[in-house]
Amino acid sequence: MVNVLTTAVNAVMISALYALVAIGFTLIFGVGGVLNLAHGATLTIGAFTAYYATAALGLGIWTGTLAALVVAGLFSAVLYLGMIRWVQDEPIMVMILTLVTSIAVEQVFVVVFGTQPKAIPSLLPGQLSAAGITVQTNQALTFALSWLLIGALIVAVNYTQTGKAILATSMSAKGAALVGIESDRMYLYTWLLAGALAGVAGVFLGSFRTASYTMGRGPLVLSFSIVVLGGIGSIRGSVLGAYLIGFLEVFVVSYVDSSLSGLASLVVLVVVLLVKPEGLFGRELAEA
């Protein structure tokens, strides 16, 4: 019983991180209507920024996390301004360019840091124990910070002027333009925000695993499965999808076979596309 509860607690922890990654992915699609296949690479940039800040510059992990947020956000914004803005009406071109960017980022990290995984310090060391269940303090803090960021994002989108402008743009860029909203600026804000969230998620993931040049691939596939399950463009769907996928993955790895990690989410992706392609909540941003 304790083992099952421990597995469930671990699933709750990792699912909050998956939700953080998936929300950034679904924001870009929900507002701009494009699939950003460089989202996983942005996560990797965040993780390696924290690693460089702590290992090479000798800064603390919290400073490294802040640096990861800024660098990953700026990378995402530059990617939009320098490349995607010019082809955002051509979905296939966007997918090709972001995929090529993702591969290029990985190769840069191979050249600069090599192929060996890099350790990122824990944000908070130690363990927490209760009712026979023990979890890493770092994981518990990651869970809390992930939800803090998700909550702040939901409040910002629904209750701030810029957030409402982003919602309006997701419904109709032409309609938003008629009331004076610059859609290009809203797209830029969305890419900046999604990149910052991915950067922080990269630090969290690297702090209780390791950072490697391929670390963004798994979260990208998971994000795709999560947002399709929850409904592409839906924030609440991404959160629910993250927990469903997170629990499925953790329990499959713990009680079936660890080599099946990632396969369960792909099976869910195929089933959802065949049975309910609009997902659980549809396109929430477009319908808000």
Side-chain angles (χ1 to χ4, degrees):
M1 184 63 181
V2 172
N3 288 337
V4 174
L5 288 176
T6 300
T7 304
V9 169
N10 288 331
V12 168
M13 302 286 180
I14 195 69
S15 296
L17 176 59
Y18 290 166
L20 194 62
V21 180
I23 282 176
F25 186 78
T26 204
L27 265 179
I28 290 178
F29 186 87
V31 177
V34 299
L35 288 176
N36 175 22
L37 298 183
H39 195 61
T42 310
L43 181 148
T44 308
I45 288 173
F48 273 91
T49 299
Y51 167 74
Y52 185 79
T54 54
L57 301 181
L59 302 175
I61 183 59
W62 288 98
T63 305
T65 303
L66 180 61
L69 183 149
V70 173
V71 171
L74 289 177
F75 167 78
S76 187
V78 170
L79 178 62
Y80 171 74
L81 288 174
M83 194 179 293
I84 305 305
R85 180 175 59 162
W86 311 104
V87 295
Q88 59 187 335
D89 294 328
E90 303 176 49
I92 301 300
M93 186 64 75
V94 171
M95 292 176 65
I96 292 173
L97 289 175
T98 53
L99 178 61
V100 169
T101 300
S102 178
I103 295 171
V105 168
E106 288 186 0
Q107 293 307 307
V108 168
F109 283 124
V110 169
V111 172
V112 176
F113 294 102
T115 57
Q116 293 300 314
K118 310 297 182 186
I120 296 177
S122 297
L123 280 80
L124 201 60
Q127 295 181 331
L128 297 174
S129 298
I133 300 172
T134 300
V135 297
Q136 299 292 324
T137 309
N138 187 47
Q139 286 183 300
L141 180 64
T142 296
F143 169 80
L145 291 178
S146 294
W147 266 107
L148 183 64
L149 290 171
I150 292 169
L153 174 67
I154 292 173
V155 170
V157 168
N158 289 285
Y159 299 104
T160 67
Q161 189 171 2
T162 301
K164 291 177 180 178
I166 290 175
L167 282 175
T169 305
S170 77
M171 297 177 202
S172 170
K174 291 182 180 178
L178 290 175
V179 294
I181 298 173
E182 297 179 38
S183 58
D184 280 346
R185 180 178 296 182
M186 296 305 112
Y187 295 149
L188 174 61
Y189 289 163
T190 304
W191 279 77
L192 181 66
L193 188 58
L197 292 177
V200 174
V203 179
F204 291 166
L205 188 61
S207 69
F208 56 81
R209 293 181 181 173
T210 54
S212 71
Y213 71 100
T214 58
M215 67 180 292
R217 296 180 186 177
L220 177 64
V221 174
L222 284 171
S223 294
F224 204 76
S225 300
I226 289 168
V227 299
V228 169
L229 174 60
I232 296 177
S234 170
I235 293 176
R236 58 178 174 167
S238 293
V239 173
L240 179 59
Y243 274 85
L244 293 174
I245 293 292
F247 268 77
L248 180 62
E249 185 189 64
V250 170
F251 274 85
V252 166
V253 169
S254 300
Y255 296 105
V256 182
D257 193 327
S258 61
S259 63
L260 296 178
S261 175
L263 180 61
S265 62
L266 291 177
V267 172
V268 171
L269 173 63
V270 172
V271 171
V272 172
L273 286 174
L274 291 175
V275 177
K276 193 174 175 60
E278 73 276 16
L280 297 175
F281 292 97
R283 290 195 59 191
E284 184 182 62
L285 285 176
E287 294 167 357

